[in-house]
Amino acid sequence: MKVRTEKLFNKLLFSQYPITIKKLADENNVSIRTIRNDISEINSYLSENSLKLIETIRNKGLFLDVTRTDIEKITNSLSLQKDNIYLDKDIRQFNLILEISLGTKFYVYEKEKEFDVSKSTLDSDMRDLRVLLDSYSLELISDAKYGIKLIGSERTIRTMIFEQIFENLGTMSVLDSTKHHFPEFQVLFNFIPLKVIYRIKALYNQFLSGPKDYIYLEQSIIFLNIWINRNHNGNKLRNKDEKIEKPPKDQLIVFIQHVISEFNIAPNDVEVQYIYFMLNTLLNKDQYNSTDWLNAQVFTISLINYVEQKLDISFDRESEIFYERLLEHNLSLFPRIKNNMQIYNPLTESIRQNYPEIFKMVQIFTAENLLLNDNKIKDDEIAFLATHFLTAVSREKQSELSVYRAAVFCNYGLATGNLLAENLKQFFPIDVIAVLSVNELYLLDKLDVDIVFSTSPIETQNFPSLVIDPIMNNKNRRNISRFLEENIKYKQTFLINQQSAINNVFKDIVEILENIYGKINSKSIEQIIEVFDINGLKINTKEIQPMIENILSDEDILLNLKVNNWEEAITEVASPLLDRNIIEDRYVDAMVNSVKEHGPYIVIGDHLALAHARPEDGVNELGLSVATLEPPINFGNTETDPVKIIFCLAAIDSYSHLNIIKSLINLLNDNSNLTDIKNSTSKTDFKNKLFKH
């Protein structure tokens, strides 16, 4: 079987959706007739081995429906020898990319011999390579002494290597040993040895505690290998060109120090700071600044509102868990986009194909609202965002009863694992007790579960388990139905979503009382919570977020405030909160210093600013104050100046001020009312106009 035919075979084996013949022809730069011949050869092989043939699904394309056992049997029998992998142009291109960026010096004639191709063929490969590198603003130069050299920004070179590795590997996992015989891995392991990958993974397990999202973990390991290689070869960032911030003494910096020692490299200060930040970004850790903290919240709420309007659906009943998961994702997404280090998503095409409506919604909204450092969000990251919405939609459609207690293990990331869990609960009588990565298998014995679902083969010993695809499709559903029937003895009856039901009853009671008696004060709400508690019904108080009218009192409103500059505006609007010890002096300093460092990011819309800092900068309790400025003050943002209204938010966490942010976003979308509020003549008039949002 030719290399191209085998590559085509592998693509169909691991695809979760049909692929058109035209797309396959375009990807392989051959005619449709050639692809048809390849399909005939593959079908002959399948027939000889008594396996299902490739189907042609009308108006969709080619699809191969095989079991996991069939896949392992096929891949083992199709193992390629190293000496023939370079018959494929894409494999040669991948080798050249890694050679110029991770290898030692080389000359074109050496590659002719290694690939066993003609000079004209390699010249064509080099032309294509130059076009690819040009898209990254990188270039190649030929030097008689030093051979082929790569010229350009060191940061960009590392990003290029990272992206090209995962584009070539596709949906295949670097840590999945069953795929290591593929030609792409044979090329990769020439430059990033497998033993080094495993050694770094061992260091991760030794020094970085806590849950690890598999997809982020794997990609961070590869990026760390790139960093080690580039430093070994003397390709370093220069101290004098960078602003150096010393990383904190935490688990991650200890891990990095052990990597430096283990691999005998000597990075400068800026390299240590660089890899610390990049690993934080890739590992999805809680490391973000004040600008990202606010902007990610505004973006998250606005995106939720947009999808709700487009789908004519409300996520209110699960707003807390949905909002927090999406916000956590976005807090790491923002620095990834800023630094153009976006995560590869192996399920992008599957999500685009199976859920086109939500994917398109997120794509349109982010194109209009998320451009950071002139870097646009990529489809892989859009697919991650779409996954969160798909999970929420699935949860909305769940029934109230579940009869199987299950654990879900997913090696595609926790967001995808959560989506899979919600789909299982939506389509089957299943209650998912936990969603874990494949690295957390040791927790299985500690869970009260009876059956296990996993996206890759795992050893579950006493638990019946089923390997399924991460995206729900007809094949998945058939396999799951058979699996549940075979394990009917584990079927139980019990109520799920009990906590959600309790919170919904509480909210309904409060709403009824308010309709009868008017606004209920916080003391009355506490008494209702106490009644629930006495009767064994715990309220999740995180879901009871106060409205803006619950927080903003008359003493927090300053009308026609006269100040000389933006620093005075922040200081004065914060004074009511400072006087009541809601915030401390250092919180005011943090707000001012943050604007000095990051610019006028607190101006969140036309003529409207929201001063804030992080909760740990000196917040004692949730608070909000506001001032209208007369005359308006410039903050340094030419598109939104001058600022007419400034709010000061003192948040104690990531959720309690959710309704306040929603109100301010609604205010931003109503320019006429914003003007009316600015022209309010009394505090009563001001509140009446503001609270209607």
Side-chain angles (χ1 to χ4, degrees), residues 1-19:
M1 191 175 289
K2 297 184 291 293
V3 173
R4 183 194 63 248
T5 309
E6 187 165 351
K7 181 181 178 183
L8 178 64
F9 198 174
N10 284 326
K11 189 175 186 71
L12 291 170
L13 273 177
F14 293 99
S15 177
Q16 306 301 322
Y17 53 91
I19 308 174

Side-chain angles (χ1 to χ4, degrees), residues 612-662:
H612 72 284
R614 293 290 303 275
E616 59 268 29
D617 290 330
V619 178
N620 296 321
E621 60 182 283
L622 178 64
L624 183 73
S625 58
V626 61
T628 60
L629 303 178
E630 184 58 43
I633 295 296
N634 289 333
F635 274 63
N637 189 327
T638 55
E639 295 181 359
T640 55
D641 275 339
V643 170
K644 298 178 181 179
I645 302 176
I646 180 171
F647 287 85
C648 176
L649 174 66
I652 54 175
D653 47 45
S654 294
Y655 56 83
S656 58
H657 57 286
L658 174 59
N659 285 326
I660 296 173
I661 297 291
K662 284 183 178 178

